[in-house]
Amino acid sequence: MDCFDSTLFPGLGEAFALCEGTTSLAPGSAYTMTVHYQASGTAPSPLPLFAATVVSDTDTGDQLGLAYMFLTGQILSCTPVASVPSGTQSVSWTPVVDSSVNTFIVEESTTPDFSSNVITRTVPGLSTQFQHPVSTATVYYYRVHAPTCSGNPGPNSAVVSIVIQTPTVTARAADAVVPVGSTTPVTITVSIPSPTGKQAFDVPFTAAVDKPYLTVTPSSGTIPPGGTTVTVTANPTNLPPGANTGTLNVISNGASVATKSVSVSLVTPVSPGGKGLPPSNALVIPVVTHAPGATGPFQSDVRLTNATGAQATYDVSFTPSHTNGTQSGKKTSITVDADQTIALNDIVRDFFGLGVTDTPGDSGFGSLEIRPTNTSSTQTFASSRTFTFNSKGSFGQFIAAVPFTAFATNASLVPFPGGGPPQTASLLSLQQVAQSSKFRTNLGLVEGSGQAASGRINFYDDAGGLLKSVQYSLQPGEHQQKNLSADYQVTNLEDGRIEVTVDSATGAVTAYASVIDNITTDPLAVMPVQTSQISATRYVVPGMAEFTSTFSNFHSDLRLFNGGSTPVTVTATYYPRLGGSISATPFTIAKGEVKAFNNVLPMLFNAADGGSVVFTTTSPSSLVATGRTYSNSADQPGGTYGQFIPGVSPAQGIGLGDRPLQILQLEQSANFRSNVGLAELTGNPVDLKISAVVPGTKVAVSIPQHLNANQFVQIDSILKSFGLGANVYNARIIVEVTSGSGRATAYASVIDNYTSDPTYVPAQ
């Protein structure tokens, strides 16, 4: 076998080592290649590395096997690099360049300048364990240095910190955080109110939990006029990473007086570090947060599904806003069993330790990258809901996980498997945004490739008129979010569109817009499209509604943008969920124009109820159809709670033989219900199998569903209809085509039972 490296090619500019030759491997044996590298003084640390082994047939040249991974190398110096995993006080550090040093000095303090409560240890080896019980969330800081290194006093490492958390209890939920692998039970104290109308008497109660890892004490007793407390104990032994959730139910005189979800979140070790070029199967959630809000904190709950058929490991990296993602951030490694979904609730706080204390400035805001490390499969799915809450309930927005291959870029493919983005369009479009007395909009940008990017942000009105154009620039891996009014001076946009271009030769960019109701502060996320990649004659917007009842009301506004180069004549047809169809008079939409249809069902079709709206053109066109379905607030006049619904072309749906669709982050409980919508896209019938997967099970419950041509069906409270119980958390729905020539799309609407705020969850 012949080996050579980049020292033979000094002008190449890239470092590499390569061995090539003919060999054989016996069954069960392994091939190992060891590379020693010496970095220059300007090299980053950690140093991003890529390694691959390719096995080919010596006669045909066909590739028989491939193994590759992205990793980082640590460049040693006299300064150790310290780390402390979330949820633990186990401090570890890297060795120093002086190999004779095997003892280090470790300092702990409760202040970042090490002026208070300092504990100093002299430790042989590269780790030590501290232990402090706490009654309130407490931050501990650590630094490490060698007594001497290469004849001089060793410098201190960068300061690292850990927040030791106490259980969090709100009106509807309770959460305790422990390190993964822990076997120590954790207790949560939960307040139980006196039943309404019984304040003058002690009343009997019984308390029960529905998961084997939860117990409650006392399980019965009396509730005095001022209420009482019970203690829920969670045993984390053998539980998987993420939030494991059950329900506490307290009953008095045959009626429920308290129903609360109770979670024990097992968090994996977190270390500081940047990120480089991701593999092509990486996913990016553009924004996650834990930050103060007017009535409660904003937080992000993430779901991660491994549908690869084998256990998979993921590097999950958080990059704070306005930082260079190759040099800053936090990273954790999470293993997910085959065909399982894990819940990473309040991920910025529980996993990355930001926003735990009440001190000013303790918050986290940035982007999240999910990078498979041991598989090239694209069968990884992720989603996020960012929300806040008031005394009545929660309101929030679904944030889609964006595949790295969907980022806009001018860069070319990196020539190794999984190495980078394909050649895609360099323009993103976001519509149905506003900056007005009723709504405000925040625009977010994320660079994903680890290379700097720059371009323009163009703001248009619905007629296609350019209102303003501004330049932007992004550091490698950077996340930015800015307000249209405060940062871009766009102050009077009743309804419009934003266009983001990538003009630089490097970098890959995605974007999102968070449109916030000024009265209710309910946000909805608008995700981007690349109009140059759209070519279809049919566009379907499901979930359009117009009805009012004693308990709720829903209405829909719709926008249609012509991203092509010529005017297009469009026919709109409404397909109600109860059957039939209503067509509107055809209309023409100019290039660059957005047609606005507020209250679309009565305005365009003189109709009500709910269903799909289908737009057709006689020849291929580049239309972008989006909708917003919302309810008018009962207690905040003029305010709304809503969800953004993107249109779907037939090519974006599934047909016979296509991989199934996945819908994540569903729940059926006292707090939420989940409805699933299904629509046929081509005008041909199709048969579906709908399966529900819940945590801790390997077997899915399934039902058949037939769709006629163009039919729209909504299955209300789908998890309840499957008979999965009164309380189901972190469920996943799988939709696949079993027969028929039609194509289908699917989505879920997760509705807060108290605020009626809907969150639209598209199928992936």
Side-chain angles (χ1 to χ4, degrees):
M1 183 167 287
D2 297 322
C3 296
F4 57 94
D5 58 38
S6 53
T7 57
L8 299 176
F9 307 93
L12 185 63
E14 296 288 343
F16 71 89
L18 176 67
C19 291
E20 183 179 26
T22 302
T23 187
S24 61
L25 286 177
S29 61
Y31 165 79
T32 302
M33 173 181 170
T34 302
V35 178
H36 298 277
Y37 62 91
Q38 182 173 356
S40 68
T42 59
S45 183
L47 183 69
L49 301 172
F50 171 79
T53 297
V54 181
V55 181
S56 301
D57 187 294
T58 55
D59 295 325
T60 66
D62 293 341
Q63 181 177 297
L64 303 178
L66 168 67
Y68 71 92
M69 67 181 301
F70 293 82
L71 63 160
T72 56
Q74 194 68 52
I75 301 171
L76 300 182
S77 68
C78 281
T79 305
V81 177
S83 63
V84 55
S86 290
T88 76
Q89 290 177 276
S90 178
V91 187
S92 60
W93 53 92
T94 60
V96 293
V97 69
D98 186 342
S99 60
S100 67
V101 175
N102 53 25
T103 299
F104 293 83
I105 297 173
V106 184
E107 295 175 278
E108 179 194 67
S109 177
T110 54
T111 55
D113 60 357
F114 290 78
S115 60
S116 302
N117 303 314
V118 178
I119 297 175
T120 301
R121 292 181 181 175
T122 300
V123 179
L126 299 174
S127 66
T128 188
Q129 176 77 40
F130 291 83
Q131 189 70 43
H132 299 290
V134 297
S135 57
T136 60
T138 305
V139 183
Y140 290 92
Y141 299 88
Y142 301 93
R143 63 188 182 190
V144 183
H145 68 272
T148 62
C149 180
S150 300
N152 298 306
N156 280 317
S157 68
V159 175
V160 294
S161 63
I162 183 66
V163 182
I164 302 302
Q165 302 184 31
T166 54
T168 300
V169 181
T170 66
R172 304 202 304 182
D175 180 46
V177 178
V178 300
V180 69
S182 173
T183 59
T184 303
V186 59
T187 59
I188 307 170
T189 301
V190 180
S191 297
I192 306 301
S194 178
T196 303
K198 302 291 185 180
Q199 281 78 9
F201 306 97
D202 287 1
V203 295
F205 79 89
T206 59
V209 289
D210 61 354
K211 297 296 181 184
Y213 50 83
L214 298 177
T215 57
V216 57
T217 54
S219 59
S220 62
T222 59
I223 306 175
T228 188
T229 61
V230 297
T231 299
V232 177
T233 301
N235 186 344
T237 303
N238 296 325
L239 291 180
N244 300 267
T245 304
T247 304
L248 167 68
N249 193 23
V250 179
I251 296 175
S252 177
N253 294 326
S256 177
V257 295
T259 300
K260 192 182 297 288
S261 63
V262 180
S263 299
V264 54
S265 291
L266 279 71
V267 299
T268 46
V270 171
S271 60
K275 59 189 180 184
L277 179 70
S280 61
N281 61 346
L283 302 173
V284 175
I285 296 177
V287 61
V288 291
T289 187
H290 186 102
T295 57
F298 282 91
Q299 69 180 65
S300 298
D301 291 352
V302 171
R303 299 294 181 265
L304 175 59
T305 294
N306 168 23
T308 66
Q311 189 182 77
T313 300
Y314 303 91
D315 279 348
V316 180
S317 300
F318 172 72
T319 301
S321 293
H322 304 294
T323 64
N324 185 324
T326 65
Q327 300 174 2
S328 66
K330 294 185 176 184
K331 180 186 300 182
T332 187
S333 180
I334 300 175
T335 298
V336 184
D337 287 339
D339 300 315
Q340 293 296 298
T341 300
I342 62 171
L344 309 176
N345 286 350
D346 204 355
I347 187 170
V348 174
R349 177 187 187 274
D350 285 2
F351 276 77
F352 297 108
L354 301 172
V356 174
T357 68
D358 294 326
T359 57
D362 182 14
S363 62
F365 193 71
S367 62
L368 193 77
E369 181 194 88
I370 300 170
R371 178 181 299 203
T373 60
N374 65 343
T375 176
S376 59
S377 171
T378 58
Q379 297 300 295
T380 294
F381 305 96
S383 65
S384 174
R385 180 176 184 255
T386 293
F387 63 96
T388 188
F389 47 85
N390 57 23
S391 59
K392 294 184 178 296
S394 70
F395 41 98
Q397 59 189 346
F398 175 86
I399 308 289
V402 181
F404 180 50
T405 52
F407 277 53
T409 183
N410 290 308
S412 300
L413 272 171
V414 177
F416 50 75
Q423 186 76 37
T424 62
S426 57
L427 186 148
L428 302 170
S429 179
L430 305 99
Q431 65 193 48
Q432 213 157 351
V433 300
Q435 185 72 37
S436 63
S437 60
K438 190 171 183 179
F439 294 99
R440 64 185 185 273
T441 296
N442 297 322
L443 176 65
L445 303 176
V446 179
E447 199 290 311
S449 70
Q451 300 282 330
S454 61
R456 290 167 290 120
I457 305 170
N458 300 321
F459 301 91
Y460 296 91
D461 60 24
D462 281 351
L466 178 63
L467 303 178
K468 191 165 191 176
S469 181
V470 298
Q471 298 285 329
Y472 76 87
S473 62
L474 292 169
Q475 301 176 78
E478 184 183 3
H479 167 267
Q480 294 181 3
Q481 180 174 298
K482 297 182 178 181
N483 178 258
L484 263 60
S485 175
D487 297 296
Y488 298 121
Q489 289 74 54
V490 176
T491 58
N492 190 24
L493 183 62
E494 290 295 327
D495 190 82
R497 186 175 67 88
I498 299 173
E499 197 174 78
V500 178
T501 71
V502 181
D503 299 333
S504 56
T506 61
V509 177
T510 193
Y512 65 90
S514 181
V515 183
I516 303 167
D517 187 294
N518 286 330
I519 296 176
T520 64
T521 69
D522 177 48
L524 63 85
V526 177
M527 302 307 292
V529 296
Q530 298 185 13
T531 54
S532 65
Q533 296 186 347
I534 297 174
S535 179
T537 58
R538 292 173 62 89
Y539 307 86
V540 181
V541 186
M544 297 293 95
E546 180 65 34
F547 66 87
T548 301
S549 71
T550 305
F551 305 103
S552 62
N553 67 92
F554 287 100
H555 317 272
S556 295
D557 298 342
L558 195 146
R559 301 292 182 267
L560 188 66
F561 167 59
N562 180 8
S565 58
T566 59
V568 176
T569 299
V570 181
T571 299
T573 305
Y574 169 48
Y575 291 94
R577 59 176 178 158
L578 300 179
S581 64
I582 304 172
S583 292
T585 302
F587 58 88
T588 298
I589 179 170
K591 69 173 184 178
E593 181 186 5
V594 177
K595 287 284 189 184
F597 304 101
N598 291 334
N599 292 318
V600 62
L601 296 188
M603 174 188 175
L604 199 57
F605 305 104
N606 192 28
D609 200 58
S612 293
V613 174
V614 179
F615 296 101
T616 58
T617 58
T618 56
S619 59
S621 55
S622 298
L623 301 182
V624 181
T626 60
R628 178 178 182 259
T629 293
Y630 59 93
S631 60
N632 292 314
S633 174
D635 55 356
Q636 295 178 283
T640 61
Y641 296 99
Q643 59 187 357
F644 178 80
I645 302 177
V648 182
S649 69
Q652 294 171 299
I654 57 168
L656 188 63
D658 292 338
R659 70 161 180 81
L661 296 173
Q662 311 277 338
I663 310 176
L664 280 57
Q665 211 154 353
L666 305 191
E667 180 173 328
Q668 179 72 40
S669 67
N671 297 329
F672 294 96
R673 65 187 186 274
S674 299
N675 303 331
V676 165
L678 306 161
E680 199 287 313
L681 302 174
T682 65
N684 297 287
V686 66
D687 290 297
L688 307 174
K689 182 172 79 170
I690 306 170
S691 305
V693 181
V694 298
T697 64
K698 298 290 186 179
V699 179
V701 181
S702 302
I703 60 170
Q705 177 66 56
H706 176 78
L707 292 180
N708 295 321
N710 300 306
Q711 186 179 4
F712 171 82
V713 170
Q714 179 169 298
I715 305 174
D716 294 337
S717 299
I718 188 169
L719 300 175
K720 186 176 181 180
S721 71
F722 271 102
L724 295 173
N727 298 289
V728 181
Y729 306 94
N730 187 27
R732 173 167 54 108
I733 292 292
I734 304 172
V735 179
E736 59 184 307
V737 174
T738 57
S739 65
S741 58
R743 298 183 68 82
T745 190
Y747 70 90
S749 183
V750 182
I751 303 169
D752 187 292
N753 290 330
Y754 297 93
T755 63
S756 294
D757 178 46
T759 299
Y760 178 85
V761 183
Q764 302 180 59

